[in-house]
Amino acid sequence: QVQLVESGGGLVQAGGSLRLSCAASGSGFSISAMGWYRQAPGKQRELVASITSGEDTNYADSVKGRFTISRDNAKNTVYLQMNSLKPEDTAVFYCNAKIKRGILINYWGQGTQVTVSS
């Protein structure tokens, strides 16, 4: 089995920073891509940033220039450095991994709360 364990969420003032981490544990798999999604109360879950095993990245327009996604392939870990946080960034952030175990399957973390106060 594969598990995604997230950490780094919390409460921060506007303008502050947080760094989220997500580590994939298990065996018998390789990761094609990892990413971060977020879901605010009453809103649809949206892609924040993603990164492939080849280090190609993609960002939502609302976070470009403020957030940076990176990964450590040896540790099967993805990071999201969030700077200049805004109250509208407040959401539950979910780690996602596209994992090959013969076929390509999406896995999700349990979510970590990010709250940005004004």
Side-chain angles (χ1 to χ4, degrees):
Q1 62 179 358
V2 177
Q3 291 184 326
L4 303 180
V5 180
E6 300 149 324
S7 63
L11 175 65
V12 66
Q13 293 181 343
S17 298
L18 287 172
R19 191 192 192 207
L20 305 182
S21 299
C22 175
S25 63
S27 62
F29 67 88
S30 62
I31 300 176
S32 296
M34 299 185 76
W36 291 94
Y37 291 70
R38 67 185 179 189
Q39 188 166 25
K43 294 187 177 181
Q44 187 176 358
R45 187 175 300 186
E46 64 175 354
L47 175 68
V48 177
S50 64
I51 186 168
T52 70
S53 60
E55 309 299 328
D56 294 321
T57 59
N58 186 55
Y59 295 92
D61 289 340
S62 60
V63 307
K64 287 180 179 177
R66 299 189 297 121
F67 292 8
T68 302
I69 190 169
S70 61
R71 67 186 297 172
D72 185 335
N73 290 331
K75 297 181 179 180
N76 288 328
T77 299
V78 65
Y79 306 94
L80 186 67
Q81 179 67 45
M82 304 186 294
N83 298 325
S84 302
L85 282 162
K86 304 175 180 179
E88 51 262 44
D89 293 319
T90 296
V92 178
F93 282 68
Y94 296 91
C95 179
N96 171 267
K98 292 179 171 58
I99 293 176
K100 279 188 177 180
R101 303 178 77 182
I103 59 175
L104 192 63
I105 301 294
N106 279 312
Y107 288 86
W108 294 91
Q110 80 286 352
T112 184
Q113 177 70 47
V114 172
T115 302
V116 184
S117 65
S118 60

